[in-house]
Amino acid sequence: MIGMDMGGLWGGFYNVSQVIARLAYLNLLWISFTVLGGIAFGIMPATIAVFSLIRKWRQGESDLPIIKTFWHYYKKEFLKSNLLGIVLVILGYLLYLNLTLLQGDALVLIILRYVMLFCCILFFIMSLMIFQVYVSYKMPFLQYLKSALLIGLTYPHLLLLMVVGIILLQYLLMFIPGIIPFFSISLLAYMMTCVTDFIFIKVESKDQSMESNNEVVPT
């Protein structure tokens, strides 16, 4: 019995160490390929590659060649992911610009500021979900933005859990800055994917339930 327990313990330790090693390697790849794309044009495809690989691992495909698979997604999504990045930057900049311009004590300006703040919250929700939606579904480009926002609004409690995880990770990186080159983006993406898995399970379950209810029963 003791031998079995130790075997299970060491087996669990080995699995955890494998996950840690993969995340560290993946983070180094993210840094390298972001620089390879000139940073501005490398960050989005590198980030998509990180989320895509983690999604594969979460689905049980843990034996994939990491660098080969990373390069595959990086090349495949280079143009489309950069287009997504440009759209997100433009939207974020427009929101920021409007907030800075809407200064003053006039009632109409106050109302418009609250409207813009609400739009900023919606943009933040969409940004939290956009990468997971992008790597999980194939859909028209603008539908990614709409779906990311709708899914985030539908499950605010899980979205809040994701935000708490991001805050805790930020404190961890501030407390141990030496791990930033190894576990910043990869650990963040892993945490976000774990939370999103619960959301997608609920979404798929709801879709299946709706399909069952819509079936015509012969009389």
Side-chain angles (χ1 to χ4, degrees):
M1 292 295 292
I2 295 176
M4 291 176 64
D5 289 338
M6 288 300 293
L9 176 64
W10 283 110
F13 177 78
Y14 174 78
N15 291 333
V16 171
S17 65
Q18 284 288 96
V19 172
I20 292 173
R22 288 195 191 108
L23 290 178
Y25 186 32
L26 193 57
N27 207 84
L28 292 174
L29 285 177
W30 180 85
I31 294 172
S32 300
F33 279 84
T34 296
V35 174
L36 179 66
I39 299 179
F41 293 104
I43 188 169
M44 286 299 291
T47 303
I48 291 296
V50 167
F51 275 93
S52 297
L53 255 173
I54 290 176
R55 177 173 176 268
K56 291 293 185 182
W57 291 343
R58 294 280 299 170
Q59 292 176 334
E61 300 181 52
S62 57
D63 296 329
L64 291 171
I66 296 178
I67 190 167
K68 182 179 179 180
T69 308
F70 191 101
W71 175 239
H72 165 75
Y73 284 114
Y74 185 88
K75 289 191 302 180
K76 178 184 176 184
E77 304 295 341
F78 189 87
L79 293 177
K80 190 177 177 182
S81 63
N82 271 304
L83 176 59
L84 176 63
I86 291 170
V87 171
L88 292 176
V89 168
I90 291 174
L91 289 176
Y93 177 73
L94 289 176
L95 289 171
Y96 169 77
L97 185 62
N98 279 280
L99 276 177
T100 56
L101 292 176
L102 294 173
Q103 302 297 326
D105 298 327
L107 179 60
V108 64
L109 291 177
I110 294 174
I111 294 174
L112 287 175
R113 271 203 304 272
Y114 278 109
V115 171
M116 292 309 303
L117 283 172
F118 179 72
C119 291
C120 288
I121 293 172
L122 295 180
F123 178 76
F124 176 72
I125 292 172
M126 180 190 68
S127 300
L128 285 178
M129 292 297 304
I130 190 65
F131 291 105
Q132 299 91 300
V133 171
Y134 185 95
V135 302
S136 300
Y137 300 104
K138 297 299 180 184
M139 55 182 64
F141 184 80
L142 294 179
Q143 188 65 31
Y144 285 118
L145 306 178
K146 179 181 176 182
S147 297
L149 178 59
L150 289 178
I151 293 173
L153 290 174
T154 304
Y155 301 96
H157 56 297
L158 292 175
L159 204 69
L160 179 61
L161 178 62
M162 190 184 298
V163 172
V164 171
I166 292 172
I167 294 172
L168 291 177
L169 177 59
Q170 180 183 1
Y171 276 106
L172 174 64
L173 295 176
M174 290 173 60
F175 186 70
I176 317 176
I179 68 174
I180 290 177
F182 305 100
F183 298 107
S184 50
I185 296 300
S186 61
L187 188 56
L188 174 65
Y190 189 83
M191 179 276 298
M192 294 175 72
T193 301
C194 289
V195 175
T196 308
D197 282 346
F198 289 105
I199 296 177
F200 287 164
I201 289 172
K202 290 180 177 292
V203 170
E204 292 169 6
S205 176
K206 184 178 293 186
D207 289 342
Q208 291 174 1
S209 177
M210 291 177 63
E211 289 176 3
S212 298
N213 292 334
N214 291 331
E215 289 181 358
V216 178
V217 179
T219 58

